[in-house]
Amino acid sequence: MGALLTLAAAALALQGSSEASEPVVLHVGKLLTMNDADEVISPAMLVIADGDIAYAGPIVDRPDLPEPLDRRSSWASPGLVDLHTHIHSGGFGDVNDMVHAVNPELRAVAAFKPENPLIRVGRAGGVTSLFGIPGSGTNMGGVGFVYKPARAGFDASIHKSPGGIKIAQDSNPQGRNSTDFGVTRAGMEWNLTDVNNRALASRRMDRFDPALIDLEKVLHGEIPVLIHTAGSEGVLNTARMWKVKYGAKAVVSHGSFDGWKSAEALASVGIPVNHGPRTIDYFSSREGRIIGSGAEFVKAGVPLFSLNTDSGVIPEELFFLQGSMSARYGADPYQMLRALTIHPAKAFDLSEHIGSLEVGKDADIVLWGGDPLDPRSAVQSVYVNGNLEYDQDRDGQLF
């Protein structure tokens, strides 16, 4: 009954818009909603109207809607959401200013090339939302932006800008920074504490600095911060500074190598982990065994655990494989699909529009030939904002 009421409400909304485009109706074999109720519906129906999802539920008879597309051999999932990517400029290098230790005013969006080949191929792999960020050569690389891999051009592809700030509090800045302070952990701590305190003072108008406007937003909980940090000591320093001291909407990015050993401490302060590109640890095990670090973070209770590619470290089109391999090494497969969809969306305050297949959200939909985490399941079609941006029959197999 609830599904029928939802569809009726959607139909009324469509009737009330004289400019509404014709809806698209999909009949699919299995619908992985990724909603809070973890609904899996088989078979299922999706209705796309004006770029949004107008219905997601069991198949119902609706003669007033267009003829459905029969995709009952397909599984439907939300588009994948990657919070750590560097492919927006079309090259494998990073946008990185290596002169200063902190660059809170640098915006990666200026280098965005929306239809570059790396984005097109990533889209064919089912990725429909990306956080494009500066590199990690300095302690504060700058401001990132959330974008959709659509053919609509520069402005229409940007979902949220600024989308958050990128920090590097471990490993990469050490020995690469142009300042002496950047080559030690103590120096990085000083750099970040200093700029954060200056940003807080700027918001109070004690010493206004326009370069600190976006960092002010982070420190007042208005946009999130993604922190490049790896090993167990590094992730603890990150949680202590950004979550405990400053109370920011902080997400640990990487947490690789032996970072999983601090998982319980991270869970205790409630900081999400966006894990990857390395998702196994075979260096720190005394038994010489391979440890699936994703499984360890989930087992410890880290909230909103998600995965990333750090593309192009791992090609964007292989994002799904981060979930596959994490499941291979002990994590629950369904939770790893959440780690590719709704969890990163929630961790970065994006879930109002993306991350799950629910009425009113953006119609970012991927049709697969089977289980999305099974490497044998080809991506058949990708809808972004309701537009068919990739179709295997039309565009060919891009990877």
Side-chain angles (χ1 to χ4, degrees):
M1 177 63 73
L4 291 174
L5 290 174
T6 300
L7 187 57
L12 287 174
L14 288 172
Q15 293 169 7
S17 174
S18 60
E19 298 181 0
S21 58
E22 184 173 74
V24 174
V25 182
L26 300 171
H27 285 178
V28 298
K30 184 171 289 189
L31 174 63
L32 305 167
T33 65
M34 298 292 113
N35 63 15
D36 289 341
D38 285 332
E39 288 182 289
V40 177
I41 303 168
S42 180
M45 183 168 95
L46 286 161
V47 179
I48 301 169
D50 292 332
D52 295 333
I53 298 171
Y55 176 77
I59 294 176
V60 294
D61 184 25
R62 283 299 307 268
D64 56 317
L65 290 175
E67 187 74 18
L69 300 177
D70 186 357
R71 304 302 300 268
R72 280 174 289 188
S73 62
S74 304
W75 294 35
S77 82
L80 309 186
V81 182
D82 194 348
L83 295 182
H84 195 133
T85 74
H86 299 280
I87 62 171
H88 51 275
S89 65
F92 291 95
D94 283 325
V95 179
N96 230 151
D97 185 338
M98 297 296 291
V99 177
H100 300 289
V102 292
N103 300 280
E105 74 287 356
L106 180 65
R107 291 192 171 189
V109 69
F112 181 36
K113 297 179 182 177
E115 214 16 44
N116 76 64
L118 298 177
I119 290 176
R120 288 202 305 270
V121 177
R123 178 173 62 209
V127 182
T128 61
S129 297
L130 304 92
F131 185 44
I133 52 178
S136 53
T138 60
N139 294 149
M140 187 174 292
V143 182
F145 65 107
V146 180
Y147 67 97
K148 302 282 193 79
R151 303 170 195 259
F154 187 98
D155 290 335
S157 296
I158 295 173
H159 182 73
K160 184 179 179 182
S161 183
I165 279 185
K166 163 70 180 299
I167 304 297
Q169 198 168 350
D170 189 15
S171 56
N172 283 15
Q174 294 175 261
R176 297 176 58 187
N177 210 313
S178 61
T179 66
D180 291 340
F181 281 121
V183 301
T184 65
R185 290 187 186 275
M188 289 189 287
E189 179 86 6
W190 190 95
N191 283 334
L192 294 171
T193 299
D194 174 67
V195 73
N196 284 347
N197 290 341
R198 285 192 283 119
L200 290 170
S202 181
R203 173 65 70 99
R204 296 193 304 264
M205 302 304 290
D206 297 346
R207 189 173 55 198
F208 177 70
D209 186 342
L212 300 176
I213 289 174
D214 291 322
L215 182 55
E216 291 173 20
K217 293 176 181 177
V218 166
L219 297 172
H220 287 83
E222 296 165 16
I223 60 174
V225 56
L226 187 79
I227 306 104
H228 163 119
T229 182
S232 55
E233 181 183 356
V235 297
L236 285 178
N237 289 336
T238 288
R240 192 159 40 237
M241 172 179 284
W242 292 98
K243 186 68 175 180
V244 178
K245 181 177 180 179
Y246 289 107
K249 292 179 180 177
V251 177
V252 168
S253 193
H254 297 321
S256 299
F257 305 106
D258 71 340
W260 61 272
K261 293 184 175 179
S262 296
E264 290 185 5
L266 298 180
S268 70
V269 299
I271 188 169
V273 172
N274 179 239
H275 190 42
R278 181 187 295 274
T279 57
I280 60 174
D281 177 21
Y282 48 83
F283 293 111
S284 61
S285 170
R286 292 182 179 179
E287 299 83 14
R289 64 188 178 95
I290 296 175
I291 297 167
S293 41
E296 297 297 325
F297 280 117
V298 173
K299 183 169 66 176
V302 167
L304 300 178
F305 174 81
S306 62
L307 294 160
N308 71 64
T309 59
D310 197 2
S311 59
V313 176
I314 289 177
E316 193 63 55
E317 61 271 20
L318 297 182
F319 186 29
F320 80 94
L321 199 56
Q322 292 290 76
S324 302
M325 294 306 294
S326 294
R328 166 70 176 80
Y329 286 107
D332 177 75
Y334 188 82
Q335 291 304 313
M336 291 306 95
L337 188 56
R338 293 182 71 83
L340 299 173
T341 54
I342 190 60
H343 281 182
K346 286 185 173 182
F348 244 55
D349 287 342
L350 302 170
S351 60
E352 181 181 352
H353 296 283
I354 65 175
S356 61
L357 298 180
E358 300 180 79
V359 172
K361 288 195 174 184
D362 297 354
D364 296 343
I365 303 166
V366 184
L367 300 183
W368 310 78
D371 185 336
L373 296 190
D374 187 338
R376 297 169 298 179
S377 300
V379 173
Q380 298 172 333
S381 300
V382 179
Y383 291 84
V384 181
N385 292 331
N387 297 314
L388 183 60
E389 296 284 1
Y390 169 74
D391 182 75
Q392 187 181 46
D393 293 335
R394 181 190 72 190
D395 304 315
Q397 189 76 37
L398 296 189
F399 71 94

